[in-house]
Amino acid sequence: MAQSAESAGSAGRNNDKMLAAYFDCPGGPENLYVKEVIKPHPGEGEVLVKVSASALNRADLLQRRGKYPPPKGASDILGLEAAGSVVGLGPGCKGRWKIGDAVMALLSGGGQAEYVTAPEGHLMPVPGGMTFVQAAAIPEAWLTAFQLLRFVGKVEEGERVLIHAGASGVGLAAIQLVRLAKAIPIVTAGTQEKLKATANAGAAAGFNYKNEDFSEKVLAFTQGSGVDLILDCVGGSYWEKNLACLSTDGRWIVYGLLSGGEVHGDLFARLLSKRASIHTSLLRSRDKEYKERLVKAFTEEVLPHFSEGTSPRLQPFVDSVHSLHEIAETHRVMEENKNIGKIVIEMPASS
Ligand SMILES: NC(=O)c1ccc[n+]([C@@H]2O[C@H](COP(=O)([O-])OP(=O)(O)OC[C@H]3O[C@@H](n4cnc5c(N)ncnc54)[C@H](OP(=O)(O)O)[C@@H]3O)[C@@H](O)[C@H]2O)c1
């Protein structure tokens, strides 16, 4: 059952109420505030999670501006991911989770609140030794990167993968997943500090798109053959450079439009001359069954690599940790492209 952000009124908080990040009118970060709302109840096959930490995504910024409404039936509270403890089970749950389990959840909304409900198949166990803050940095970014590489791009050993916005939440996850697939990650980013972070995460090469032509650099690095796969969240402004450094039969996956979606030029002719393909991908609007398959595959193939003693060992990158009451500030940090990795939001200690 989707949770409602209906106001809980001015009476003191009781067990039916909780705090959540909220906005009444679309607009800037100043519209955000913490609101007392009705606590959700788990529906058929759903689990109620007491949230310890959530994280911020570009989708939250778009939704706040009124440009990315939640899918039908989803919570109108912000937050696409959360980590916390299981505190309730809806009817029909199949026994995968029990009260007290530490979990992280992929959500269609509602994560930036003290409680959230999620289908039981959209939860994953928090890897041993990991804090809730670290775990909150995993679901949306890592499942997006995993989906792009494994389900859409079908990356293979030895392939060269160009990852734009390499120091973003998704980018730093993608670098590590490319290494896990024994392929070669190459990145772009806008500052030297960000490029350093991508190198630490495993990037074989990185180029500052602000002061060098990344396509020339990528061609030089790959000795003229180009990359087999491009993970592109930038869109319009990169199309020519992407095509210039894409290999014959290369795959170009567009999953974000940070620079806009307009293309002016002979895109089809350039694409055809390389027998290249364009794919697009959105995770949030995927149906429940698809997300269950994705979460299951990630849990089996990737999650064990977050534990100590594994090689390569994967790690979530946390840029900064903020309290729920600093929600407006978190949006400003992301909007100014300041973060390296994930911005995590902790729930109030008293909750
Ligand atoms: N399709 C999906 O299912 C899905 C799911 C999750 C996320 N996404 C998309 O994935 C992207 C990354 O998300 P995130 O939350 O990981 O982002 P993030 O951590 O906020 O990082 C985004 C980075 O992109 C770079 N950037 C911003 N505008 C740019 C522009 N015009 N040209 C080039 N680079 C630009 C900035 O880094 P620099 O300083 O390096 O420029 C910025 O810090 C977003 O576009 C998001 O919408 C898509």
Side-chain angles (χ1 to χ4, degrees):
M1 184 194 298
Q3 72 202 88
S4 156
E6 179 192 332
S7 172
S10 57
R13 285 172 66 203
N14 61 29
N15 279 344
D16 293 334
K17 294 164 190 169
M18 66 170 187
L19 299 177
Y22 207 69
F23 62 95
D24 296 313
C25 304
E30 66 282 359
N31 289 13
L32 291 163
Y33 68 106
V34 175
K35 181 176 181 177
E36 200 171 80
V37 299
I38 305 289
K39 194 169 139 182
H41 291 282
E44 181 77 22
E46 286 185 341
V47 173
L48 179 66
V49 176
K50 183 175 190 295
V51 179
S52 293
S54 179
L56 193 63
N57 288 281
R58 289 268 157 178
D60 297 320
L61 274 56
L62 286 173
Q63 187 171 329
R64 188 205 72 223
R65 279 191 240 127
K67 294 187 173 159
Y68 194 33
K72 197 162 170 274
S75 169
D76 56 359
I77 294 170
L78 296 168
L80 299 183
E81 56 201 334
S85 307
V86 172
V87 290
L89 299 165
C93 280
K94 296 195 181 102
R96 287 187 228 179
W97 307 106
K98 59 181 191 318
I99 303 297
D101 280 349
V103 292
M104 44 195 193
L106 177 69
L107 305 167
S108 301
Q112 289 157 23
E114 291 177 298
Y115 294 87
V116 69
T117 57
E120 57 181 343
H122 296 184
L123 300 184
M124 299 168 278
V126 173
M130 192 177 275
T131 64
F132 284 131
V133 162
Q134 292 169 313
I138 292 180
E140 177 70 12
W142 281 81
L143 286 166
T144 295
F146 180 67
Q147 179 196 15
L148 296 173
L149 289 162
R150 167 88 156 61
F151 282 34
V152 185
K154 299 182 174 49
V155 66
E156 289 185 9
E157 185 173 338
E159 286 194 314
R160 292 144 306 190
V161 183
L162 177 60
I163 302 163
H164 291 311
S168 65
V170 177
L172 288 165
I175 292 166
Q176 296 177 71
L177 289 174
V178 169
R179 283 291 185 197
L180 190 63
K182 298 188 169 61
I184 302 155
I186 302 167
V187 304
T188 64
T191 68
Q192 286 312 115
E193 195 193 356
K194 287 188 175 184
L195 287 174
K196 202 167 156 204
T198 64
N200 290 339
F207 307 111
N208 185 335
Y209 69 91
K210 288 185 178 161
N211 56 30
E212 50 195 353
D213 181 332
F214 73 77
S215 63
E216 282 175 12
K217 294 284 179 181
V218 166
L219 283 169
F221 182 77
T222 58
Q223 291 161 339
S225 49
V227 291
D228 305 287
L229 192 57
I230 301 179
L231 305 191
D232 181 17
C233 60
V234 176
S237 68
Y238 276 6
W239 79 270
E240 277 185 290
K241 286 181 181 156
N242 277 338
L243 275 172
C245 67
L246 189 61
S247 69
T248 303
D249 294 316
R251 292 100 74 204
W252 170 15
I253 306 174
V254 178
Y255 72 102
L257 296 172
L258 286 166
S259 75
E262 282 195 25
V263 166
H264 303 280
D266 56 354
L267 181 136
F268 285 128
R270 303 272 298 275
L271 204 58
L272 191 60
S273 71
K274 289 196 164 179
R275 296 192 307 266
S277 53
I278 298 188
H279 306 251
T280 63
S281 179
L282 283 177
L283 177 54
R284 191 184 193 186
S285 56
R286 287 284 187 176
D287 65 27
K288 183 169 160 250
E289 289 70 29
Y290 178 97
K291 287 179 185 171
E292 276 179 13
R293 282 201 307 280
L294 182 69
V295 166
K296 185 170 185 292
F298 182 84
T299 302
E300 290 170 0
E301 296 173 29
V302 179
L303 222 46
H305 292 274
F306 284 97
S307 299
E308 259 176 52
T310 52
S311 178
R313 185 173 177 196
L314 305 175
Q315 55 166 336
F317 277 77
V318 174
D319 172 81
S320 51
V321 185
H322 302 256
S323 92
L324 183 67
H325 293 281
E326 295 167 331
I327 189 69
E329 179 56 17
T330 65
H331 280 232
R332 287 189 192 102
V333 171
M334 184 172 275
E335 221 150 48
E336 290 167 15
N337 300 327
K338 285 183 179 161
N339 58 298
I340 295 178
K342 298 286 294 185
I343 298 171
V344 173
I345 300 156
E346 272 191 302
M347 292 308 125
S350 59
S351 65

